Amino acid sequence: MIEGVDEGLVPSRNWLAAPPSVTAVIVCRNGAGWLPQVLDALASLAHLPQAVVAVDVSSTDQTREILARYLHPASIRTAPPGTGFGDAVRVALEGSAPTDWVWLLHDDSAPGPDALAHLLDQATQSEDIGIAGPKLREWPSLKRLLEVGVTISGTGARETGLERGEPDQGQHDRPRDVLAVSTAGMLVRRRVLEDLGGFDPRLPLFFDDIDLGWRAARRGYRVRVAPSSVFFHVEAAATGLRPGSLAPRPRREMRRAATYTLLANASRPGFFWQSVRLFLGTLLRALVLLLAKAPREAADEIFGVLAVYRRPFAMLAARRRRAAAARVDARSVRERLLPSPLIPYRHGLDALGELVNTLVGPAPEMTGRRAAVELRPEDDDEELPTTGSYLSRHPWLTTMLVLTLVAFVASRSVIGSGFLMGGALLPAPDGAGAWWSFFTAGSHDVSIGSDVPAPGYVVPLALLATLLGGNADLAVSIVVLAGALLAALTAHRLGRRLFASPGVRLWWGATYGLLVATSGALVQGRIGTVVALAAAPAIVNSAYLLMTRPRVTDGLRLGLWLTLATAFAPVTYLLAAGPLLVAGAILLRRRGWPSIATALLLPWLLLGSWMWRRALDPGAWWWEAGRANADVGDLDPPTWQLALGHAGGPGIATYATAGLLLLGVLALLRRETRSAVLVAWATGLWVLGWASFGAGATFTDGISGGPVWVGVPATLWIAALAAAAGSAADGLHGRLADRPVRRRAFAVLVVLALVGPAVALTWWAVRGDGDPLERGTPDEIPAYLAARAEDGRSTLVLTGTREEGVTQRVVSGDGTRLGDEAVMPSPEDLRSLDVDVRLLLSNPSTGVLERLGSYGIQSIYLPAPANPDLVDALEAAPGLEPSGSPEGSRVWTFTVAGEPHEPPSSAVRPWVARGQLALLLVAVVVAAPGRAREVR
């Protein structure tokens, strides 16, 4: 007998005055492993069926002997090999005494003690109820839900409305009409079964229940689910656990059955639409499965659908039979009982989210239908609260909603039209295509021309912009303005591996997200820091897994995350490489070095010469994506500010991290968690050392230079202290249950831990993300000069004075866009141009203008306020003509032209870039999680 069913109160049962007759039909096929428990449960029912008939479909195990021990020989039937479920039911009912109801059972599904009585409670309420079914729970777990009624989506997926692994907590216990119920426990009126012609023989194993329920609904009968009736189901055929199954390839048979069911029951207009949709959708799913390294499943998808398409006359005959029997409009059934057309797309987004989650922190390996999850011991007993509102039962979701709301409020001044820019952030190009062509180009139309390789960070931005319909600015806006939210998500994912307490995980994830939001990176437009900090928890998560299970694929996954962070903030590579090498030497020794080498070498391969340039010029490690000099003031924070994780500049919540610093120190006092705390401290001191080394310095990488921004290591220093505090607090509350004094001290520390994030949250909302970050239009040069760039004309922009020095730059188009800053010509390439500019201001001549014109320069612009000495010098230059200009500025256009020079170009670079993209695709496919071998 199956235990663990809470039957609750027994309703009033008027049908007991004249109990309807019921015949139970058990269909068996090599189910000896479960059959004794099924028969024991059947014999223990509070209300027994009048007759029990078993059909053995040529079992080769002990099924026949087990049936003989429980049932009279006259109640046992035999069916030939290959008999489907519906045909086996026909065999059982032939020669059996007629009864009001037929109760269908599988040899791997056991009823709860009062299952039949609860089914009759619902089935006897109305004469138009033709079918009733139970709630299915997973056997042997007993608590996880499988189905509470079922329907089918437009793509042929079996739609239950349940989350994977959802526990039964009574949340789906309302009886209701549904499209179908499982044949495992289905109670069907015998006259209805005969009126419908039984099960379709072309559905011997899967989707026969949905097809029968669909036909019943079209015939005018109701299908009712009775959740108080509980069945436990192994689903041996679907999971491949049944030996000698009719479906040696369950997935292929399920796709065939789903396609047949959808097309046979679709309305006339819907039939043609579904035929095209299923065919195209199958090709798309097969492609995704191939990318997920599941060629067997991809073949099952294709051949399952083709098995239906290659027999069109059989399909047309099935549709004619259904149309002749229908008494209810197909549209009415669709509106009442079929799921929303958006369901498949929601599942697609869920699948994409699962893939991202797996890459952020690798998901557990799947075996069969259940996950072999590597959990902390405490996790086994964790369950969500069963009372209260939805948000109270999902605290992390509530936290993310609060953070999202605050992020929206904080970005109030930078939401609108125009481009997001300011500080270190340059405006995005006009579309994703500009980034793709920029990355693969052999020459760049910046300044006087350049053949410097494009930075690697434009690839993920271009990919995101492509997914957003080509909107490059929207991609940048999401990354910058939602960067703190992304960081909170990756940190919470890491917290699930580091901490056992859900409260500590929640605090750690929210705190980390707020550290990113108040580090100054958002306000200063430092997209490199934002991405690096969002990727940092994923790097740690992947490294943690690699240390416990060193495989090359894990090394690739870690290498991809490291490449992403390095492309935006190169110093991240140095911060990660040291601890990774030390951890590998201590924990893995020789066996893990191939994986570690893979992770550390992949960025060099994917980023190419852009990465190698850092090895030749160490200062370039500090140059993140965007302007080298953000012009945000002093970036040399005093020691006390650096200890608080502040890198300098605007947008920093100065004292919000003081509590975390104190908690990190106090974490060293707990002896039980000291090893984990010391690891966090060692990591924190490593990154703090880099922050101290870079703070106040300047860098030059051969193209540009500026003050060093140490936002990445400074923020990671405080994050490490927060991790130390979380490790010390993990599980501490339960250990202080009988120590009131220490519990009060612990309560004080909890308040201290919450004050810092609360202050940061409030400060973020009040201060906002603006200034210097803003939204506007690029205005390096007047608009009409930018329009001339379409003809290949550039503008020479001069700033400064003769006494203090004149700075020149050549502007193509309407100004520098994100990515251009990294491919500017080097000072050596600009030396001849500098000489000509000096001659222009000291001894102007037509020859000088012709040489400038050879670079494509056709105008000179002095931004406001234009220096009078420079104005006088240019007014005297032959070949220059004054032009209209904004107030306070001056513009001259050339009246002479020089011989155009050929800008530098690399014939090899486009091929190298395409090779890098191909290598990236291969690495992502290999590192992506393999498709779980499951069909459910």
Side-chain angles (χ1 to χ4, degrees), residues 260-346:
Y260 178 88
T261 302
L262 271 176
L263 295 182
N265 292 283
S267 63
R268 183 174 298 177
F271 173 73
F272 298 102
W273 157 244
Q274 284 288 5
S275 299
V276 175
R277 179 185 186 184
L278 286 172
F279 181 74
L280 296 179
T282 296
L283 295 180
L284 179 60
R285 279 193 299 273
L287 176 62
V288 172
L289 288 168
L290 286 174
L291 293 177
K293 299 172 288 186
R296 179 184 175 93
E297 286 83 351
D300 288 341
E301 284 283 333
I302 293 175
F303 288 113
V305 172
L306 291 180
V308 177
Y309 281 52
R310 69 185 182 186
R311 301 192 63 181
F313 296 108
M315 172 55 61
L316 294 176
R319 288 183 53 79
R320 282 195 298 268
R321 289 193 299 271
R322 285 160 175 76
R327 293 190 294 223
V328 175
D329 181 59
R331 181 176 180 179
S332 173
V333 174
R334 182 177 67 250
E335 292 176 349
R336 290 186 298 109
L337 302 175
L338 291 181
S340 166
L342 300 179
I343 283 290
Y345 306 104
R346 191 194 75 185

Side-chain angles (χ1 to χ4, degrees), residues 5 25 51 61 87 97 131 219-220 302 367 521 545 566 574 605 630 640 651 659 665-666 709 752 781 796 816 900 910:
V5 183
V25 175
D61 59 4
D87 290 335
I131 302 174
R219 189 68 174 161
I302 293 175
T367 57
L545 186 67
T566 302
L574 303 179
L605 296 175
W640 69 271
V665 174
L666 294 177
W709 159 260
L752 180 62
I781 57 176
L796 177 64
T816 308

Side-chain angles (χ1 to χ4, degrees), residues 612-622 699-704:
W612 289 101
R613 200 168 72 205
R614 268 88 189 139
L616 300 176
D617 189 354
W621 288 105
W622 292 105
F699 73 89
T700 303
D701 82 332
I703 292 179
S704 185

